[in-house]
Amino acid sequence: MKQIFLLLTIILLLPFVQQAQNVQKKKPLSFSDYDQWETLERQAISNDGNWVAFEVTPYKGDGKLHVFYQKKEKWQIFERGRSAKISPNSDYVAFTIKAQKDSIRKLKVKKAKKDKFPKDSLGIWVFKSKKTYKFAGLKSFSLPIENSSWLAFIIDSKDKKKKKASKNTPKIPELVIFNPVTEKEHRFKNVTEFSFSRNGNLLGFIQTEKDSITRSKVNIFDTNSETLINIFESEGIAKKVIMDNLGKKCAFLYTKKSKKYSLNTWEIGTFKSKAVVIDANSLEMPKDWALSKNGKIWFSRDDSKIYFGTAPKPTPRKKDTLLKEEKVDVDVWSWKDPYIQPRQKVLLRKELMRSYLSVYHFSSNKVVRLADELIQDTKTIMNGDSYFALGIANKPYLIETTWNYPYYKDVYIVNVNSGKKKLVLTKQQDFVGLSPFGNYIFWYDNVKRGWYALDHRKNKKTALTKDIPVNFYDEEHDQPHLPFSYKYAGWTKDDKYFLVYDQFDIWKVDPEGVEKPVCVTNGYGRKQNIQFRHIQLNKEDKYIDLQKPLFLSAFNKENKKSGYYQANVKTKANPKLLIYEDYYFYKPLKAKNADKLLWQKSSVKEYPNLWYGNIDLKKADKITWLNSQQKKFIWPTNELIKWKTFNGRNAEGLLYKPENYDPNKKYPVIVYFYDLWSDNLNRYIAPKPSRAQINPTFYSSNGYIVFIPNVRYEIGHPGKSAVDYVVSGTQALIDKGIADKDRIGIQGQSWSGYQLSYIITQTNMYAAAAASSPVSNMISAYGGIYWKTGISRMVLYEKSQSRLGASLWENPELYIENSPIFHLNKVETPLLIMHNDGDRSVTWNQGIELFMGLRRLQKPVWMLNYNGEPHYLKAKSPDNIDLSIRMMQFFNHYLKGKQQPKWMKSGIPLIKKGKNLGYELVE
């Protein structure tokens, strides 16, 4: 019996022994391993649901386009294929073939001119015939949205008119109209732009020939009859050709010499374009206004209207003979400016190109202005078919954007037929929308903390959520402004019902206030701690169809499980479970004309590969297996941990451990944090070089435990709040025997870089700290500019992320209390700073103040400035690897006792910059 028992024990333990041996064979990730990881990008599914296309992109090098046929599980792979589009008839795939990166690099090394670089090509693969077509010199390509097998593209072509053509002969743009199924093809020279009708029946294009004069032709190609109609030809410039949806109309802009554009239209059955619809001399055009060449032109979905932009005529510049150095070059700042000068500079190009929406009605030959200099932003609905639009005016409140958030706006209802504008809301801070059929304006009132609807024709206002016994505002909000809503799902047909979210469930409410609200998810979300959200599977649906089950995403706020459910509005049953697992599920992609889905799911150990199946998810197939090399490396496990903060609050965070973790050992720990992170429990983190922060996967693989605590804030005391959550969480790890109290580091970027800098002035718990782009002095930062957007940083400190809740003059003590610069004399933790001189989010003066203060106090401090780099290092820059190496060397020295690298020991003098990186370890 003892022998039998021993044998059974060995059999039961054998898998665990083998697993342990497999882990022991694995190696830690190294800096050279980054290049092995691939990324799944830009998925597409055919309208019939049978074909799937996606890109697989390596960290460095050329990617591949994969095309998958689900019925026979067959693959086709195209080297360097990108931006795939499957034809609306599901009969072929078209894609860009990128030039080889290695070839471009070699030419860059030779300092060749850009016109010598290899050009992209167009690739086409026909599903039935398996034929592949390739066209070199691609500039652009396009497919119709519906019901066509034609596509069109522009390529660089040699001018055959020139008899002595050579390699240096300039190439001209050539339009190719091609049907890959029938192999029919038509070509036209000197084409500058083109546009399909939505149904693909017509293709409009412009030919421009430049000699001593510029001459333009506008042509229409009928894809059914394969005939060409020239609808316009004249000296001058034609541009922005646009086709309608049904393939019956065309519109374009035209100017002869003055650059004052007119809008011309053409309708099928005529040979030439109609008379000018509108130009600068039209009665409807205000004085000194004209059509804008910068405005988008588009037809309403029913083709009864065409929308276009107008703008004040630009003031011509006066010619002078002054040299640049003889002219005054000054910015004049005024306290009455609506926007401060830096903001004006950021918006300058946008303002120069600003256009104001107008509409032309074909039935009445009438032009209506929908936007003006007060109501600059006008939003149409139902693809422009509706009689109403929403007008937004924020001009009266622009000065306040310097310190106030959320920003105020006035809201108007705009009649698309008459242009009349009616003011319906003032000083609105939260969301405002117009229901799909135009019957109601609806909004969230952040003061009254509820949703409202206004029947603007009856002037009847309804409080939509007042009788529902749950909150519709963000209950976890911790910034010094009124909380936002949980948003909404949408409207049903004819604006009959409005579907809105609370923290967990979905409610159906009557905008007239007659019917009682109904919880679509039957309160199941709140009972199970699951957050349900509606997924609109068809992107073109403008309303929610209650005759069909609602497709829902599900996320458990407690254990972080997720998946998909269905809810039937007709019944009062709980939502029907489709799939619900310990994974993170991404937003799915549905075939337009079939109940087929693509989706991804991930865990800390499983890459978000692609799955394919029916909409009920009863049959699901995994169709990609990326990054199988992962099995060679030590990988992290992770877990959700909870503790009490020093102030007695409930807290949670994530703990990443090496998969060969030994509970009898104490490991070096690195703490990283940024607001709330724990919902990412099942997110896969690929090993990538650092752009500013540590990579948990990489550090865990190299023998570290990575701890990421959530941080919640008390208004006015962000620094103390960070201490309460981060330090108490770290102490919890020490108390549990997980962390070696003498080998704990801390790292943060931007907002967490600031908090880290504050934390090390309050405790000596951390043996090393690395801060990227931190704020060190809230007083000097408060008066600064967020150069990326040109806005004042005041709003950030008073109302937003920094959470002080008061101006500098209202409560200067808060700014001193929360600024690390005033407490640097208490710092005992060695600090590595990265702050770049190209940072337009947090000026690098903040990093300099921190560095100079610690240097003056003779505390160990280093600062990395990657010249010209922004707030985060640019993706795939060599600087990413450099930062990764230096940060790892820094932590290895202080947390693992490894030797210092030369750059830490003795620095790198400027005279040796670029000659010596200083990675070598020294005694």
Side-chain angles (χ1 to χ4, degrees):
M1 289 295 294
K2 288 182 180 179
Q3 290 175 332
I4 293 172
F5 178 76
L6 181 62
L7 181 61
L8 288 171
T9 303
I10 292 171
I11 292 171
L12 290 170
L13 290 176
L14 189 59
F16 297 100
V17 173
Q18 290 175 337
Q19 185 179 1
Q21 289 174 341
N22 290 337
V23 171
Q24 287 177 353
K25 291 178 184 178
K26 294 182 178 183
K27 59 183 180 179
L29 288 159
S30 68
F31 299 114
S32 61
D33 294 320
Y34 292 131
D35 294 353
Q36 297 186 44
W37 258 259
E38 296 176 319
T39 303
L40 185 68
E41 297 179 302
R42 285 180 279 274
Q43 305 95 316
I45 185 169
S46 61
N47 287 345
D48 66 6
N50 291 327
W51 296 88
V52 173
F54 56 87
E55 296 169 28
V56 175
T57 308
Y59 180 75
K60 282 188 178 179
D62 298 310
K64 297 177 181 179
L65 174 69
H66 294 241
V67 181
F68 173 70
Y69 181 50
Q70 63 88 20
K71 286 189 175 180
K72 295 185 179 179
E73 295 189 354
K74 287 190 175 182
W75 294 87
Q76 190 76 11
I77 298 176
F78 300 94
E79 297 291 334
R80 307 188 311 283
R82 293 199 67 176
S83 305
K85 294 181 181 179
I86 301 176
S87 69
N89 288 346
S90 304
D91 43 21
Y92 66 85
V93 61
F95 50 92
T96 301
I97 303 173
K98 301 297 290 184
Q100 284 184 312
K101 290 182 179 179
D102 188 54
S103 300
I104 292 175
R105 185 185 180 280
K106 288 176 182 177
L107 289 169
K108 285 182 177 179
V109 170
K110 293 178 181 179
K111 297 183 178 179
K113 294 181 179 179
K114 283 192 176 181
D115 60 359
K116 302 297 182 184
F117 285 15
K119 302 294 189 296
D120 295 342
S121 299
L122 175 69
I124 304 169
W125 187 57
V126 183
F127 298 149
K128 189 174 182 179
S129 68
K130 303 295 183 292
K131 287 186 178 180
T132 302
Y133 301 91
K134 184 177 178 181
F135 298 86
L138 178 68
K139 298 175 79 70
S140 65
F141 78 95
S142 180
L143 283 70
I145 296 173
E146 298 173 351
N147 191 36
S148 179
S149 293
W150 291 87
L151 81 159
F153 51 94
I154 293 178
I155 56 175
D156 282 331
S157 176
K158 291 181 180 178
D159 190 350
K160 295 179 180 179
K161 292 180 182 178
K162 298 193 176 183
K163 296 179 180 179
K164 296 181 179 180
S166 67
K167 291 182 179 180
N168 297 322
T169 302
K171 294 184 178 180
I172 59 174
E174 181 177 47
L175 174 69
V176 182
I177 308 171
F178 183 50
N179 188 322
V181 178
T182 63
E183 297 185 314
K184 292 181 178 180
E185 179 184 304
H186 303 267
R187 293 182 178 238
F188 303 93
K189 299 286 188 180
N190 298 309
V191 175
T192 53
E193 55 181 276
F194 63 92
S195 170
F196 270 113
S197 62
R198 181 181 177 86
N199 61 8
N201 287 347
L202 298 181
L203 175 79
F205 63 94
I206 295 174
Q207 290 176 294
T208 304
E209 294 186 1
K210 293 181 180 180
D211 207 337
S212 56
I213 58 171
T214 299
R215 192 168 187 84
S216 297
K217 290 182 183 179
V218 182
N219 302 302
I220 301 293
F221 181 81
D222 187 321
T223 58
N224 293 317
S225 63
E226 297 183 54
T227 56
L228 185 71
I229 307 171
N230 172 238
I231 65 169
F232 181 86
E233 184 173 355
S234 180
E235 177 186 337
I237 298 172
K239 63 190 308 179
K240 294 212 168 184
V241 64
I242 185 76
M243 303 302 299
D244 71 348
N245 298 281
L246 296 176
K248 294 183 177 180
K249 297 187 182 83
C250 169
F252 58 93
L253 293 180
Y254 167 72
T255 183
K256 189 169 185 179
K257 292 180 180 179
S258 63
K259 295 187 179 179
K260 294 177 182 178
Y261 286 88
S262 61
L263 178 64
N264 291 32
T265 65
W266 170 87
E267 192 165 348
I268 198 165
T270 57
F271 292 101
K272 296 294 180 182
S273 66
K274 288 173 62 177
V276 170
V277 170
I278 188 171
D279 62 15
N281 299 317
S282 299
L283 295 175
E284 299 88 350
M285 189 73 69
K287 186 180 179 182
D288 297 325
W289 278 56
L291 267 82
S292 172
K293 66 177 181 179
N294 302 314
K296 182 182 177 183
I297 304 173
W298 53 285
F299 285 88
S300 60
R301 182 58 58 85
D302 63 8
D303 295 329
S304 67
K305 300 180 281 291
I306 185 168
Y307 293 87
F308 58 95
T310 61
K313 294 176 185 176
T315 305
R317 287 188 177 183
K318 294 181 180 179
K319 293 183 178 181
D320 60 57
T321 58
L322 293 174
L323 299 173
K324 185 178 179 180
E325 58 267 26
E326 296 173 336
K327 295 180 180 180
V328 175
D329 191 5
V330 60
D331 298 329
V332 179
W333 296 43
S334 168
W335 67 286
K336 291 186 177 181
D337 285 342
Y339 282 130
I340 58 175
Q341 287 283 322
R343 180 67 176 157
Q344 291 180 46
K345 284 188 177 182
V346 170
L347 297 176
L348 182 59
R349 177 174 171 78
K350 181 180 178 181
E351 287 301 318
L352 290 172
M353 297 182 68
R354 181 183 288 280
S355 64
Y356 301 82
L357 189 65
S358 295
V359 62
Y360 172 74
H361 297 264
F362 284 97
S363 59
S364 61
N365 293 327
K366 183 179 179 182
V367 171
V368 177
R369 295 179 67 219
L370 304 180
D372 53 39
E373 290 180 292
L374 173 63
I375 306 170
Q376 295 182 332
D377 185 12
T378 307
K379 298 176 181 178
T380 62
I381 56 171
M382 294 295 287
N383 300 113
D385 288 349
S386 176
Y387 297 135
F388 298 100
L390 201 65
I392 305 295
N394 60 4
K395 266 192 170 184
Y397 312 109
L398 292 184
I399 289 180
E400 293 179 55
T401 60
T402 302
W403 61 84
N404 204 0
Y405 181 81
Y407 304 138
Y408 290 125
K409 55 183 174 284
D410 293 338
V411 183
Y412 293 77
I413 189 77
V414 182
N415 189 302
V416 175
N417 289 334
S418 66
K420 290 182 179 179
K421 301 170 180 68
K422 177 183 176 183
L423 179 64
V424 290
L425 289 174
T426 58
K427 298 195 77 171
Q428 174 67 15
Q429 285 188 296
D430 211 305
F431 176 85
V432 182
L434 193 57
S435 60
F437 291 84
N439 296 309
Y440 302 96
I441 285 182
F442 65 105
W443 70 95
Y444 180 76
D445 189 317
N446 54 0
V447 176
K448 296 179 181 178
R449 301 192 177 188
W451 284 92
Y452 291 81
L454 174 71
D455 184 329
H456 55 86
R457 284 172 287 201
K458 298 177 183 177
N459 205 30
K460 179 186 175 183
K461 179 180 173 182
T462 303
L464 300 174
T465 53
K466 70 172 184 176
D467 295 327
I468 303 176
V470 294
N471 294 322
F472 289 85
Y473 62 85
D474 182 358
E475 295 157 291
E476 297 177 347
H477 177 80
D478 62 0
Q479 293 190 5
H481 62 80
L482 293 172
F484 293 119
S485 72
Y486 286 115
K487 301 184 180 178
Y488 66 98
W491 288 77
T492 65
K493 189 176 181 181
D494 299 322
D495 297 342
K496 187 171 183 181
Y497 298 109
F498 177 54
L499 271 60
V500 63
Y501 300 132
D502 70 21
Q503 186 176 8
F504 297 100
D505 291 298
I506 306 174
W507 294 81
K508 183 186 77 170
V509 296
D510 174 12
E512 292 294 318
V514 177
E515 297 182 30
K516 289 184 178 181
V518 175
C519 185
V520 172
T521 47
N522 201 32
Y524 186 75
R526 188 167 294 273
K527 292 173 189 173
Q528 300 297 321
N529 215 9
I530 296 174
Q531 187 177 74
F532 288 115
R533 295 296 182 255
H534 176 246
I535 298 176
Q536 193 79 307
L537 293 174
N538 189 338
K539 294 178 182 178
E540 294 195 346
D541 286 346
K542 298 305 176 185
Y543 61 86
I544 297 171
D545 186 355
L546 295 186
Q547 302 304 312
K548 300 176 182 177
L550 304 183
F551 195 91
L552 308 178
S553 68
F555 180 79
N556 191 300
K557 299 286 287 182
E558 186 69 23
N559 60 27
K560 318 305 179 186
K561 291 174 70 172
S562 68
Y564 307 125
Y565 280 70
Q566 280 183 343
N568 192 332
V569 181
K570 296 179 182 179
T571 66
K572 293 184 178 180
N574 292 335
K576 178 185 175 183
L577 187 153
L578 300 178
I579 189 168
Y580 182 60
E581 300 173 344
D582 282 313
Y583 286 89
Y584 179 85
F585 282 80
Y586 296 73
K587 187 176 180 180
L589 185 64
K590 181 186 175 294
K592 185 176 180 179
N593 302 323
D595 286 339
K596 299 292 183 181
L597 281 186
L598 283 179
W599 70 92
Q600 294 171 270
K601 65 178 185 178
S602 73
S603 70
V604 70
K605 286 189 172 184
E606 186 171 328
Y607 182 82
N609 278 295
L610 203 57
W611 291 73
Y612 174 92
N614 296 328
I615 197 168
D616 59 10
L617 304 184
K618 288 182 179 178
K619 183 182 178 183
D621 296 310
K622 186 178 179 181
I623 61 173
T624 67
W625 292 265
L626 266 65
N627 299 314
S628 59
Q629 76 282 358
Q630 178 183 312
K631 62 180 177 289
K632 299 185 297 183
F633 300 99
I634 298 170
W635 206 254
T637 62
N638 73 346
E639 59 191 88
L640 187 68
I641 68 164
K642 301 186 179 185
W643 71 97
K644 289 277 189 182
T645 71
F646 298 138
N647 289 332
R649 299 168 181 166
N650 293 323
E652 67 179 24
L654 298 186
L655 199 64
Y656 293 80
K657 298 176 181 176
E659 61 183 326
N660 58 357
Y661 173 75
D662 182 351
N664 297 314
K665 281 178 59 180
K666 289 185 178 179
Y667 289 78
V669 172
I670 293 184
V671 181
Y672 171 78
F673 58 100
Y674 200 106
D675 286 358
L676 306 179
W677 184 271
S678 61
D679 285 355
N680 294 307
L681 175 69
N682 289 314
R683 292 269 195 169
Y684 181 91
I685 303 176
K688 290 182 180 179
S690 176
R691 295 180 61 193
Q693 65 267 56
I694 65 164
N695 182 285
T697 299
F698 192 88
Y699 274 79
S700 296
S701 182
N702 281 274
Y704 285 92
I705 288 176
V706 178
F707 174 48
I708 309 182
N710 285 356
V711 182
R712 298 184 185 276
Y713 300 91
E714 179 187 350
I715 303 303
H717 306 284
K720 288 180 179 178
S721 300
V723 171
D724 188 33
Y725 280 87
V726 177
V727 178
S728 68
T730 309
Q731 185 62 52
L733 297 188
I734 296 171
D735 295 341
K736 292 174 185 287
I738 295 172
D740 183 340
K741 67 180 179 62
D742 297 319
R743 296 194 294 157
I744 303 175
I746 187 169
Q747 198 271 326
Q749 151 70 7
S750 191
W751 173 233
S752 62
Y754 149 70
Q755 294 168 87
L756 173 160
S757 303
Y758 180 87
I759 287 170
I760 63 174
T761 70
Q762 306 298 306
T763 178
N764 297 325
M765 174 182 282
Y766 301 99
S772 300
S773 309
V775 166
S776 60
N777 185 343
M778 286 198 170
I779 295 175
S780 59
Y782 175 81
I785 302 294
Y786 190 78
W787 293 106
K788 187 176 181 180
T789 60
I791 65 173
S792 165
R793 294 184 64 84
M794 289 179 179
V795 69
L796 185 71
Y797 293 89
E798 293 186 37
K799 295 285 187 175
S800 187
Q801 187 180 57
S802 295
R803 297 171 168 90
L804 294 186
S807 72
L808 177 61
W809 303 278
E810 290 169 328
N811 200 335
E813 291 79 13
L814 286 181
Y815 287 78
I816 294 172
E817 172 198 315
N818 287 285
S819 295
I821 198 76
F822 295 105
H823 315 289
L824 294 185
N825 57 315
K826 302 179 209 171
V827 174
E828 298 296 334
T829 306
L831 178 64
L832 173 65
I833 305 166
M834 182 198 80
H835 215 141
N836 307 318
D837 54 18
D839 192 333
R840 295 176 61 80
S841 298
V842 178
T843 175
W844 81 311
N845 288 343
Q846 291 294 314
I848 292 172
E849 287 190 46
L850 187 57
F851 175 83
M852 294 302 292
L854 291 171
R855 182 179 183 273
R856 167 64 181 82
L857 294 165
Q858 282 297 281
K859 311 282 187 178
V861 61
W862 295 262
M863 180 166 160
L864 306 174
N865 167 30
Y866 292 95
N867 301 161
E869 288 277 6
H871 196 55
Y872 287 86
L873 297 178
K874 297 186 188 85
K876 301 185 181 181
S877 158
D879 296 335
N880 302 153
I881 297 288
D882 184 82
L883 176 61
S884 302
I885 292 171
R886 295 188 197 278
M887 199 181 295
M888 178 67 87
Q889 287 183 331
F890 174 77
F891 282 123
N892 281 348
H893 173 65
Y894 284 108
L895 306 185
K896 287 187 173 182
K898 293 192 176 183
Q899 294 172 331
Q900 277 190 328
K902 190 174 180 180
W903 66 269
M904 285 179 64
K905 183 77 172 176
S906 54
I908 301 177
L910 192 59
I911 198 170
K912 293 185 179 180
K913 178 182 175 180
K915 301 173 185 176
N916 186 351
L917 294 172
Y919 295 154
E920 310 85 22
L921 301 182
V922 295
E923 292 292 343

